[in-house]
Amino acid sequence: QVQLVESGGGLVQAGGSLRLSCAASGRSFSNYIMGWFRQAPGKEREFVSIISRSGQSIFYADSVKGQFTISRDNAKNTVYLQMNSLKPEDTAVYYCAARTSTVETNPVLWPYWGQGTQVTVSS
């Protein structure tokens, strides 16, 4: 079991940047594959980025490649999402998630979730 808490969301103008953090509880953070997902109003939750246990394997949705950067610090039990060149279409609640087996982009396959942090990008 792990508890996840996101932070760093807020209101930003198009073209701006935000850095999201996800703090995890427990002793075994390095055992978890970590991911970021987002859900815009009226839409289903979607994959944004995933990072492997060691940080050596990283995956991004096509919509954010070259724009977002995922990283993790296992010593701090924290995963980050650096978001640059933000666009209004990036507006969503951003969630971090954890799982212990394979990398999966389908949100329904992830058992552990934070409560989310709102990111709003104005035009």
Side-chain angles (χ1 to χ4, degrees):
Q1 295 183 332
V2 62
Q3 291 185 328
L4 308 172
V5 180
E6 303 95 336
S7 62
L11 176 64
V12 64
Q13 282 197 4
S17 298
L18 285 173
R19 178 178 164 94
L20 305 184
S21 298
C22 176
S25 66
R27 287 176 167 265
S28 302
F29 178 72
S30 62
N31 290 339
Y32 292 98
I33 301 166
M34 299 297 297
W36 286 98
F37 298 78
R38 66 187 180 186
Q39 188 165 18
K43 302 187 71 174
E44 294 188 346
R45 193 166 300 184
E46 66 176 1
F47 155 71
V48 174
S49 186
I50 295 169
I51 188 166
S52 65
R53 298 172 184 88
S54 66
Q56 293 182 6
S57 297
I58 290 172
F59 306 87
Y60 296 103
D62 288 344
S63 59
V64 305
K65 286 180 180 176
Q67 181 189 357
F68 292 3
T69 303
I70 192 171
S71 61
R72 68 189 295 163
D73 187 339
N74 287 348
K76 296 181 178 179
N77 284 10
T78 303
V79 63
Y80 305 94
L81 186 69
Q82 178 67 45
M83 306 186 295
N84 298 326
S85 302
L86 284 163
K87 301 168 287 185
E89 64 192 80
D90 296 318
T91 295
V93 177
Y94 283 72
Y95 299 89
C96 65
R99 70 192 314 269
T100 58
S101 55
T102 55
V103 171
E104 301 285 352
T105 60
N106 188 345
V108 306
L109 300 178
W110 292 69
Y112 305 112
W113 293 87
Q115 292 183 322
T117 186
Q118 177 70 49
V119 172
T120 302
V121 184
S122 65
S123 59

